[in-house]
Amino acid sequence: MRPVTAQWIANAVGGTLAADVDTPVSGVEKDSRAIEPGFLYVAFVGERVDGHDYVPQAVAAGASLCLVSEPVDAPHVLVADVQAALGSLARAYLALLRAEGGITVIGITGSNGKTTTKDLLAQALPDVVAPVGSFNNEIGMPLTVLRADLSTRFLVLEMGASGLGHIDYLTSIAPLDVAVALTVGTAHMGEYASPDDVAVAKSEIVTGLVPGGVAVLNADDARVAPMAALAERAVMFGIGHGDLAARDVTSDRGRASFEVVRAGEPPLELPRRTLALVGEHHVTNALAALAVCLEVGLDPATAWERVAAAGPVSAHRMALTERADGVTIIDDAYNASIESVRAALRALKLVADGGRTVAVLGEIRELGDASVTIHEQIGTDVVRLRIDRTIIVGAGARPAFVAAVREGSWGDEAAYVDTIGEARALLEETLRPGDTVLVKASHGSGLWELADQLVGGVG
């Protein structure tokens, strides 16, 4: 963070200052355990924890100032709403960076793929700030903005939406030079009346562009492509078509290989490369990242080399581990939608390359009334894809097991267990060298704990 003063922060958030006006602040953190000397500690009040209780620990760790909604015995700025104040602080801070230096702000949204695309850009762009993990909401995104400084050339932000107006709010904090829309799917459908409402929510990223900004849009998604009408300028990417197109896509044990062609004058052709990421669905994410790199002026050959070579950074996202005992684990247990589950199952088949396939599937959350139907569709899918062994974990995902049996999964091809411990025990009994195991669920299901155990060699 570019250093600012306590008075500057108080002015930015409209708060009451109870500290020396010249107190320097060089970072922002909401976790008292991560405070460093000179940081601003942001005291949130949650359902289980009141951040104000941890002000003494933050000060002991070196916090020079606290952002609070009730007076504390420490230098602080008092506001009515800490979350709103954090947004105001990030908004003012980004405006300061824009005024003092050259920074390009890139925002990414989509029902699937935004964290992976962010991770690709974090590895391809120079002098870049991007979050590790999925900091895409009204708290995480402002904290990412506040990590940038005057040396930052590119700020890459994830923008999630659990309802209409959410991305509008995020782009009011961080207006975008480049807006990327990847997919419109069923993720968080419990918050929306229909997929069309999801598309409207995602399209807010395009209307959040600064004048002269560019939208980078997925031509293969029927709900994303029309967003071009909202943009002053749009670059379309797709498989076989679009301004930037993947051509002659093939797969080698789940890793996609393809050439890239850019339309225009002069046209551009980039040679065949194989992605380091596992899953053919990453062609979309790689094209989006490459399109952004080209739009911000990177050398095309260098950009393509970096994007293709980039691996998974954030945890539990199609991370492949080949264990010493001959078992391969695909850990994709951070998040889930029906689209991402289907993509992961296809990747499982390709990675296994004829070996035995095992899918361990937990609940997809935030589906609302569509939950039973969507889990039933997944149960049907595992049978039709001829997954050799399917273990469904948890009551919320049980309709997938019922549907798999109904579709024709007999004997021990499908199993249901209530707990992660039971799933682990079942795997310990049955895994053998040459097996490939996919672990896939929403993060809230906790199935990522099983993935960690399996990668550590359990089984």
Side-chain angles (χ1 to χ4, degrees), residues 133-185:
S134 186
F135 281 52
N136 60 23
N137 63 13
E138 63 276 5
I139 296 174
M141 196 212 74
L143 288 172
T144 302
V145 170
L146 292 162
R147 285 180 47 217
D149 58 28
L150 292 175
S151 70
T152 303
R153 289 176 56 193
F154 299 101
L155 176 61
V156 181
L157 303 171
E158 279 191 61
M159 295 186 166
S162 297
L164 298 173
H166 289 192
I167 293 179
D168 267 344
Y169 173 70
L170 296 179
T171 60
S172 77
I173 294 170
L176 302 173
D177 300 288
V178 182
V180 182
L182 297 166
T183 58
V184 172

Side-chain angles (χ1 to χ4, degrees), residues 257-427:
S257 176
F258 55 98
E259 302 168 355
V260 178
V261 179
R262 183 178 67 182
E265 292 296 335
L268 175 68
E269 293 190 12
L270 295 172
R272 172 175 295 277
R273 289 190 179 278
T274 300
L275 300 183
L277 295 173
V278 174
E280 287 188 342
H281 56 291
H282 287 309
V283 173
T284 294
N285 303 326
L287 283 173
L290 180 59
V292 172
C293 289
L294 299 181
E295 281 300 310
V296 300
L298 262 66
D299 170 70
T302 301
W304 180 215
E305 180 180 8
R306 290 177 179 174
V307 168
V313 174
S314 301
H316 306 294
R317 290 173 174 84
M318 293 304 291
L320 188 146
T321 301
E322 295 179 347
R323 295 192 337 195
D325 62 359
V327 174
T328 298
I329 308 298
I330 304 173
D331 173 8
D332 198 33
Y334 184 84
N335 213 341
S337 65
I338 190 169
E339 295 87 0
S340 68
V341 171
R342 286 170 169 165
L345 290 170
R346 290 193 296 269
L348 169 62
K349 294 286 289 187
L350 291 169
V351 171
D353 194 26
R356 192 170 71 138
T357 52
V358 181
V360 185
L361 306 177
E363 182 183 3
I364 304 174
R365 298 197 164 189
E366 300 181 51
L367 293 175
D369 294 339
S371 180
V372 171
T373 299
I374 287 177
H375 284 96
E376 287 177 340
Q377 291 173 7
I378 290 169
T380 301
D381 288 342
V382 296
V383 178
R384 293 179 179 177
L385 285 168
R386 299 184 179 180
I387 303 300
D388 296 307
R389 181 98 165 111
T390 302
I391 301 173
I392 304 299
V393 185
R398 184 177 173 82
F401 168 71
V402 175
V405 173
R406 186 170 59 235
E407 184 68 16
S409 184
W410 307 109
D412 64 355
E413 291 177 359
Y416 169 78
V417 295
D418 286 308
T419 68
I420 292 170
E422 291 175 277
R424 173 182 168 181
L426 193 55
L427 289 168

